[in-house]
């Protein structure tokens, strides 16, 4: 079977794909995006692809150089990644992104009749892939399990187990800010015992349709989930009348504040 390869068109297609893939991986890893560097990385990837396709005949060498040397050069040039662990993670994300973007373009391949249409589809596929990634990251963040939390109030500190509950959508009616929930025992450890002058928030739960809880403003809240710390200044917490929320955790975190 005979194929004709238009090297200029082949280079352009690979350049565009590498450009979008580098942008996706950079945003997934939250790297500092430099457009000129991304362009340089995409050009390196497209150039090496052309060289390997034209001059390499043995499939084993193509396999090694394509998936090893070329992709590493692509990532190092385009994103400036030097740390080995981050580079491996970027390499994996590159293939995940290529799989998603390639699948999207393959679906619409019968409708591609020109370079402009391909460019539009590649651009749309790029944003769709990022949207899928953001959606997965959102669910991962909001469906995470328990974490460690440190509460600070008037020079006192209390470290407890907390849970990020997607069902907690409590908000202060006055400020509209998200509200977390702690137990009365934790409030006492922070020196908060007098709630007579505090505002209250209403809530509904199983067996209680119109409950109320006093609201406190703490000095600071620090949550540590999966080696990542999140600091919240002046968080609002509601004090539950229950001394224990469960046998595992003493605080229900509102995901809208994290």
């Amino acid at each position: 079977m005979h194929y004709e390869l238009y090297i200029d068109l082949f280079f352009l297609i690979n350049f565009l794909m590498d450009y979008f893939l580098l942008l996706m991986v950079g945003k997934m890893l939250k790297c500092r995006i430099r457009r000129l560097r991304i362009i340089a990385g995409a050009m390196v990837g497209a150039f090496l692809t052309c060289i390997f396709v034209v001059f390499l005949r043995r499939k084993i060498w193509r396999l090694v150089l394509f998936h090893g040397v070329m992709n590493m050069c692509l990532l190092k040039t385009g994103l400036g990644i030097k740390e080995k662990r981050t580079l491996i993670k970027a390499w994996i994300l590159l293939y995940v992104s290529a799989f998603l973007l390639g699948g999207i373009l393959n679906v619409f391949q019968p409708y591609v009749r020109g370079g402009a249409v391909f460019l539009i589809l590649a651009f749309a596929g790029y944003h769709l892939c990022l949207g899928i990634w953001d959606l997965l990251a959102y669910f991962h963040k909001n469906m995470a399990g328990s974490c460690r939390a440190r509460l600070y109030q008037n020079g006192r500190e209390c470290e407890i187990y907390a849970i990020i509950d997607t069902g907690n959508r409590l908000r202060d009616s006055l400020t509209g800010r998200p509200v977390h929930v702690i137990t009365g025992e934790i409030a006492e450890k922070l020196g908060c015992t007098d709630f007579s002058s505090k505002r209250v928030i209403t809530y509904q739960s199983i067996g209680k349709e119109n409950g109320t809880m006093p609201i406190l403003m703490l000095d600071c809240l620090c949550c540590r989930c999966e080696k990542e710390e999140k600091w919240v200044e002046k968080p609002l917490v509601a004090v539950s009348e229950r001394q224990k929320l469960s046998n595992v955790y003493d605080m229900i975190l509102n995901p809208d504040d994290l």
Side-chain angles (χ1 to χ4, degrees), residues 92-214:
I92 295 172
L93 288 176
L94 181 68
Y95 278 91
V96 173
S97 302
F99 177 78
L100 289 174
L101 186 56
I104 292 170
L105 292 176
N106 188 56
V107 170
F108 294 99
Q109 185 180 7
Y111 308 100
V112 177
R113 293 293 182 269
V117 178
F118 174 81
L119 179 60
I120 293 172
L121 288 176
F123 185 73
Y126 157 73
H127 284 286
L128 181 59
C129 290
L130 282 182
I132 293 172
W133 176 263
D134 290 340
L135 187 63
L136 292 174
Y138 173 82
F139 281 120
H140 175 73
K141 175 183 176 181
N142 287 276
M143 295 180 69
S146 61
C147 62
R148 301 287 292 185
R150 292 196 304 274
L151 306 175
Y152 301 87
Q153 178 71 355
N154 296 329
R156 299 192 182 192
E157 177 182 344
C158 183
E159 186 169 355
I160 57 177
Y161 277 105
I163 186 170
I164 302 174
D165 185 7
T166 56
N168 178 15
R169 287 293 183 261
L170 292 175
R171 285 187 175 272
D172 180 22
S173 59
L174 185 62
T175 63
R177 293 181 55 195
V179 178
H180 311 280
V181 180
I182 62 174
T183 63
E185 181 182 353
I186 300 303
E188 290 180 6
K189 289 182 179 180
L190 293 172
C192 304
T193 56
D194 183 13
F195 305 122
S196 58
S197 60
K198 302 297 182 182
R199 291 186 294 110
V200 298
I201 186 172
T202 59
Y203 70 97
Q204 292 182 348
S205 63
I206 299 175
K208 200 158 192 176
E209 294 186 359
N210 295 302
T212 60
M213 293 182 291

Side-chain angles (χ1 to χ4, degrees), residues 31-101:
C31 298
R32 184 180 178 183
I33 303 296
R34 295 179 179 177
R35 297 285 177 172
L36 291 178
R37 188 158 199 165
I38 295 289
I39 292 173
M43 291 186 69
V44 168
F47 177 76
L48 290 177
T49 301
C50 292
I51 293 295
F52 295 158
V53 168
V54 172
F55 294 103
L56 292 179
R57 301 300 180 185
R58 299 186 64 179
K59 292 183 178 180
I60 184 64
W61 283 110
R62 283 189 182 182
L63 182 68
V64 172
L65 293 175
F66 263 121
H67 301 288
V69 176
M70 188 196 72
N71 287 335
M72 290 301 175
C73 292
L74 179 73
L75 293 169
K76 284 191 173 184
T77 305
L79 300 176
I81 299 175
K82 297 180 180 179
E83 187 181 350
K84 184 178 179 181
R85 184 177 179 181
T86 306
L87 189 61
I88 294 174
K89 188 176 180 179
W91 186 80
I92 295 172
L93 288 176
L94 181 68
Y95 278 91
V96 173
S97 302
F99 177 78
L100 289 174
L101 186 56

